[in-house]
């Protein structure tokens, strides 16, 4: 699948407790790969592992904690061998107006999605260099045209796309492949009750019919694993998204125009009321971190 030698059958998936991460792990295991499942919820990871047909090890780790992630990478190598496939899937999202979003939540979305992905690449690159492996960065169509009310998520996904593009050229001499997965609406807990959430409903309502379709995590996993097998530079979920790439220079203008119409009817009170983290996984991350203490005021220097 991705390289030769004793580590050729080891895959690492972050954010593997549920959704796309769990579905990808199942499909890779069905192809005979032994799995390392990383995430914040150990019991959920164990449930995923119990349903896999191959050996699987679970690691409760925060991808933004580089020291802990380094420890997980060493454990993967010791227990299973060097990874030949690493899928940086861990991510959270928050919805709502930027002005109503707490700074700590905005920062956390960027930290998990962007810094967490960079940490994942950093700690596993030595193993991928040994196996001639493949790193798949899960991005989003949020990188195509930034949507209002999702500023932290869009910024982070544009960031991981740029990061992976830069990384690809750097690691090519070591025989490591880097791919970017562009994922559209997917039926995970992150967008549970999609039509009941005013922000998500508004963002989706004026999209063309094919773009409004929500795909199951299992279907998205099939597309992603096919990309892994091909060591693809770009993976589109769904595949028709590749047709959108040439239109990217004009997409921000289109998204902005559509958003103005779709959001104009929403009262600001409703938008502010529903501002916050999306999904069970995001809530679990915030619980695991605990309350973030307020930043003490700083007295500016006097002149």
């Amino acid at each position: 699948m991705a390289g030769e030698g004793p580590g050729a059958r080891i895959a690492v998936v972050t954010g593997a407790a549920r959704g796309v991460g769990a579905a990808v792990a199942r499909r890779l295991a069905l192809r005979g790969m032994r799995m390392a499942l990383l995430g914040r919820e150990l019991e959920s990871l164990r449930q995923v592992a119990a349903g896999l047909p191959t050996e699987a090890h679970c690691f409760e780790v925060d991808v933004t904690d580089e020291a802990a992630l380094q420890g997980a990478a060493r454990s993967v190598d010791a227990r299973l061998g060097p990874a030949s496939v690493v899928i940086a899937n861990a991510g959270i999202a928050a919805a709502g107006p930027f002005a109503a979003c707490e700074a700590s939540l905005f920062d956390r979305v960027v930290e998990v999605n962007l810094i967490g992905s960079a940490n994942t690449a950093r700690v596993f690159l030595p193993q991928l260099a040994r196996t001639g492996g493949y790193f798949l960065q899960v991005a989003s169509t949020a990188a195509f045209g930034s949507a209002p009310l999702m500023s932290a998520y869009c910024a982070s996904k544009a960031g991981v796309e740029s990061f992976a593009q830069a990384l690809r050229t750097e690691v090519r001499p070591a025989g490591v492949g880097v791919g970017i997965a562009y994922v559209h609406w997917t039926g995970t807990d992150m967008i549970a009750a999609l039509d009941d959430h005013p922000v998500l409903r508004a963002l989706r309502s004026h999209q063309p019919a094919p773009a409004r379709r929500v795909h199951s995590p299992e279907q998205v996993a099939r597309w992603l694993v096919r990309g892994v097998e091909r060591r693809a530079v770009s993976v589109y979920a769904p595949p028709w998204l590749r047709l959108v790439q040439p239109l990217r220079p004009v997409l921000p203008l289109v998204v902005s125009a559509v958003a103005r119409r779709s959001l104009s009817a929403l009262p600001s009170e409703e938008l502010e009321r529903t501002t916050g983290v999306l999904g069970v996984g995001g809530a679990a991350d915030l619980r695991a971190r605990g309350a973030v203490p307020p930043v003490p005021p700083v007295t500016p220097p006097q002149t």
Side-chain angles (χ1 to χ4, degrees):
M1 177 179 286
E4 302 298 332
R9 308 299 292 179
I10 311 302
V12 175
V13 181
T14 68
R18 57 172 50 82
V20 171
V24 166
R26 285 190 289 269
R27 296 202 70 82
L28 290 174
L30 286 171
R31 282 157 171 75
M33 300 197 79
R34 292 181 291 158
M35 302 302 305
L37 310 180
L38 278 60
R40 296 304 301 268
E41 302 162 87
L42 184 58
E43 188 53 42
S44 296
L45 291 171
R46 287 172 173 166
Q47 292 173 9
V48 174
L52 301 182
T54 57
E55 181 182 2
H57 292 256
C58 302
F59 302 88
E60 184 176 10
V61 64
D62 177 356
V63 294
T64 70
D65 184 341
E66 185 180 349
L69 202 56
Q70 287 280 11
R74 289 192 295 270
S75 295
V76 170
D77 198 357
R79 297 185 194 181
L80 293 163
S84 59
V85 172
V86 175
I87 300 179
N89 167 73
I92 61 174
F98 171 75
C101 180
E102 292 186 6
S104 60
L105 178 55
F106 184 100
D107 293 351
R108 184 59 182 170
V109 172
V110 175
E111 186 181 21
V112 171
N113 297 358
L114 177 55
I115 304 304
S117 293
N119 286 342
T120 301
R122 183 178 296 112
V123 304
F124 283 104
L125 273 176
Q127 297 182 30
L128 293 175
R130 288 159 59 191
T131 61
Y134 176 76
F135 179 84
L136 180 63
Q137 174 63 62
V138 177
S140 166
T141 50
F144 286 8
S146 298
L149 307 178
M150 297 286 288
S151 56
Y153 185 76
C154 291
S156 67
K157 290 302 183 179
V160 297
E161 178 193 36
S162 184
F163 163 69
Q165 288 171 340
L167 182 67
R168 178 184 297 140
T169 302
E170 294 181 22
V171 300
R172 183 176 294 151
V176 178
V178 175
I180 304 171
Y182 298 96
V183 179
H184 201 44
W185 296 110
T186 305
T188 66
D189 71 271
M190 189 181 290
I191 61 167
L194 174 63
D195 291 326
D196 295 329
H197 195 288
V199 172
L200 300 180
R201 183 177 66 244
L203 292 175
R204 182 168 168 258
S205 62
H206 287 78
Q207 292 180 339
R212 290 198 301 268
R213 183 177 177 184
V214 178
H215 298 278
S216 70
E218 290 71 24
Q219 176 61 72
V220 171
R222 282 195 287 271
W223 289 319
L224 266 56
V225 171
R226 189 180 307 158
V228 171
E229 292 173 330
R230 298 174 179 175
R231 295 172 64 92
V233 170
S234 299
V235 182
Y236 297 95
W240 59 260
L241 285 173
R242 71 176 60 252
L243 303 176
V244 179
Q245 281 282 21
L247 304 176
R248 288 187 63 169
V250 300
L251 280 179
L253 297 175
V254 173
V255 171
S256 178
V258 170
R260 282 198 300 271
R261 292 197 302 270
S262 60
L263 297 176
S264 59
L266 292 177
S268 60
E269 297 81 5
E270 184 177 17
L271 293 179
E272 293 184 7
R273 180 179 57 81
T274 55
T275 296
V277 69
L278 297 175
V280 177
D285 176 76
L286 295 187
R287 285 197 306 272
R289 291 185 71 229
V292 178
V295 178
V298 176
T299 303
Q302 304 298 309
T303 58

